[in-house]
């Protein structure tokens, strides 16, 4: 009920149409309130990590409401993918700090990991890591254009690892794409020696990425249920 009221107040059709045509296609203040006041960005995040400690079902209830109003915001990159990935990562300074910021709504994220029909394929990774320096291009990354942080899968000498990269860091270029759905923007992300912070090494990254893609698929399906309810009978 609280999420439905928030969406009605902040994501009416006129507001959504205005936001989706803006350079930054969401209201940062409203996004922060979703995290800090309603706590709905981290419903399935353990309390020890700053979340509510609920289940994926709890998160899905909120996502369905977002879908029913076609809410503008980096839900796909942040809530569907980046937060589940970080929850599955081993604890560490970079992971813990970023997860707390995403749950609180003070930062947003994108997930620059190529998939094949929703499944992770290590052979499809197009970024390489030399130490903490990342180079490569990932195409069609949802929410990358306005994200504060980008989670990037990169191939190392020991296997695939997952890194957090500040979107405004030196060596990061984001090229916005024209998409059919203006509420879900995409961008190509090019990295040229960009600095990454390791959040999951070769022993953990494949499990972490697969978990995020599975959670993201489930939440995307639930969102579509909400969107279908928005359509006239």
């Amino acid at each position: 009920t609280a999420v439905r009221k928030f969406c009605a107040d902040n994501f009416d059709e006129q507001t959504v149409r205005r936001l989706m045509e803006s350079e930054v296609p969401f209201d940062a203040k409203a996004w922060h309130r979703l995290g800090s006041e309603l706590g709905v960005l981290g419903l399935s995040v353990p309390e020890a990590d700053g979340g509510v400690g609920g289940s994926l079902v709890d998160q899905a209830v909120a996502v369905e409401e977002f879908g029913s109003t076609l809410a503008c915001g980096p839900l796909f990159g942040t809530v569907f993918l980046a937060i589940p990935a970080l929850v599955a990562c081993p604890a560490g300074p970079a992971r813990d700090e970023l997860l707390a910021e995403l749950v609180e709504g003070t930062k947003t994220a994108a997930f620059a990991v190529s998939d094949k029909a929703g499944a992770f394929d290590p052979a499809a990774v197009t970024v390489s890591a030399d130490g903490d320096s990342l180079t490569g291009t990932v195409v069609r990354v949802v929410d990358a254009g306005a994200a504060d942080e980008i989670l990037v899968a990169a191939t190392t000498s020991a296997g695939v690892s997952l890194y957090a990269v500040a979107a405004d860091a030196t060596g990061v270029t984001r090229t916005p794409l024209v998409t059919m759905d203006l509420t879900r923007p995409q961008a190509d992300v090019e990295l040229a020696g960009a600095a990454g912070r390791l959040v999951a090494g070769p022993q953990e990254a494949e499990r972490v990425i697969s978990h995020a893609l599975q959670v993201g698929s489930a939440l995307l399906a639930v969102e579509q249920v909400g969107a279908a309810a928005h359509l006239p009978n």
Side-chain angles (χ1 to χ4, degrees), residues 59-80:
Q59 188 68 73
V61 170
V63 166
E64 184 174 351
E65 291 299 329
F66 292 137
S68 70
T69 55
L70 308 181
C72 270
L75 288 164
F76 191 88
T78 304
V79 177
F80 293 12

Side-chain angles (χ1 to χ4, degrees), residues 30-226:
W31 184 262
H32 186 204
R33 289 182 58 204
L34 284 172
S36 61
E37 294 180 21
L38 271 69
V40 297
L41 302 180
L43 279 172
S44 59
V45 175
E47 291 184 48
D49 290 321
V52 175
S55 68
L56 183 59
V57 173
D58 297 314
Q59 188 68 73
V61 170
V63 166
E64 184 174 351
E65 291 299 329
F66 292 137
S68 70
T69 55
L70 308 181
C72 270
L75 288 164
F76 191 88
T78 304
V79 177
F80 293 12
L81 293 169
I83 288 177
L86 292 171
V87 167
C89 285
R95 174 263 192 194
D96 296 352
E97 180 181 1
L98 179 54
L99 179 57
E101 291 169 331
L102 296 183
V103 168
E104 185 71 12
T106 57
K107 281 189 175 181
T108 63
F111 197 67
V113 180
S114 300
D115 69 276
K116 288 190 175 181
F120 178 57
D121 179 5
V125 174
T126 54
V127 176
S128 60
D130 182 5
D132 292 330
S133 178
L134 308 184
T135 299
T137 300
V138 187
V139 298
R140 297 184 298 277
V141 180
V142 177
D143 293 329
D148 299 302
E149 296 279 344
I150 304 174
L151 294 187
V152 181
T155 301
T156 73
S157 58
V160 174
S161 294
L162 188 66
Y163 296 84
V165 178
D168 61 356
T170 301
V172 179
T173 301
R174 295 173 287 174
T175 304
L177 303 175
V178 178
T179 57
M180 184 74 72
D181 182 358
L182 296 181
T183 69
R184 184 140 289 165
Q186 301 178 27
D188 290 343
V189 178
E190 181 181 355
L191 306 173
R197 299 169 338 264
L198 184 69
V199 293
Q203 301 299 320
E204 302 286 348
E206 187 167 347
R207 174 188 60 81
V208 166
I209 293 169
S210 294
H211 172 77
L213 292 174
Q214 289 166 3
V215 171
S217 296
L219 292 178
L220 181 62
V222 170
E223 183 189 54
Q224 297 310 300
V225 172

